Amino acid sequence: MFSLIISIIAIALVVALAGATLYYGGAAFRDNGIKTTVAEYKNESAQIVGAINAYRVQQGGLPSDFTLQDLVPEYLKSVPEGEWDIQDNRVIRTGVEELVCYRANEVMGFEFDPAEEGVDALASDSSKGIPQCSKSDLPFDVPCCSSATT
């Protein structure tokens, strides 16, 4: 009987520890997932931009009907997963969660006021902004994930 009581107490302690880990560590697990996605997004974008630059140098520019598939296999092994677009010499990944887009800008040191034209407010915090890809004065290296044209 004594060992049964000890076993029940041990199981209850394990359940309590697991619950506390999820409760207190949940934000850390979620943030690490977002950081991983941001790093993936930035890495894939940089690969595409590098391949486009190499293509431009070797081919003397981009044809009007250029697609990312034109880079395969000479400049890229394959086009990274996801929906990618090129608008005004900017590589854009569509379908990216807004928090990932905001964090990508934050990591690169860019902040936007949601009151500015061409900037959307972050749904979870309306004091923070995400630039639209169609924003006229947006520097080339700023990650944009939303577009008025898509």
Side-chain angles (χ1 to χ4, degrees):
M1 183 69 167
F2 179 73
S3 60
L4 179 62
I5 293 172
I6 295 296
S7 296
I8 291 173
I9 291 172
I11 290 171
L13 285 174
V14 167
V15 169
L17 284 173
T21 300
L22 291 176
Y23 180 77
Y24 292 108
F29 296 139
R30 184 181 62 249
D31 285 349
N32 283 338
I34 290 171
K35 287 178 184 176
T36 300
T37 305
V38 166
E40 202 174 89
Y41 168 71
K42 288 174 47 184
N43 183 31
E44 290 170 346
S45 296
Q47 288 176 7
I48 292 171
V49 168
I52 289 172
N53 289 337
Y55 184 97
R56 276 189 183 130
V57 168
Q58 290 183 354
Q59 304 297 325
L62 296 178
S64 59
D65 61 343
F66 178 81
T67 67
L68 293 179
Q69 282 304 125
D70 296 336
L71 300 171
V72 177
E74 190 172 342
Y75 303 96
L76 287 175
K77 183 177 178 181
S78 64
V79 175
E81 289 185 26
E83 296 179 34
W84 294 90
D85 192 14
I86 301 172
Q87 294 178 6
D88 301 322
N89 292 322
R90 176 180 300 283
V91 175
I92 302 166
R93 183 171 180 185
T94 58
V96 176
E97 294 177 38
E98 71 169 10
L99 187 56
V100 171
C101 188
Y102 173 76
R103 290 282 171 87
N105 279 286
E106 183 180 50
V107 165
M108 295 180 71
F110 298 112
E111 289 187 22
F112 294 92
D113 183 356
E116 285 181 56
E117 186 175 335
V119 177
D120 296 328
L122 188 64
S124 60
D125 184 349
S126 61
S127 69
K128 297 176 179 174
I130 303 170
Q132 294 176 358
C133 297
S134 58
K135 183 173 169 39
S136 60
D137 60 343
L138 194 64
F140 179 76
D141 57 342
V142 173
C144 64
C145 308
S146 62
S147 175
T149 60
T150 58

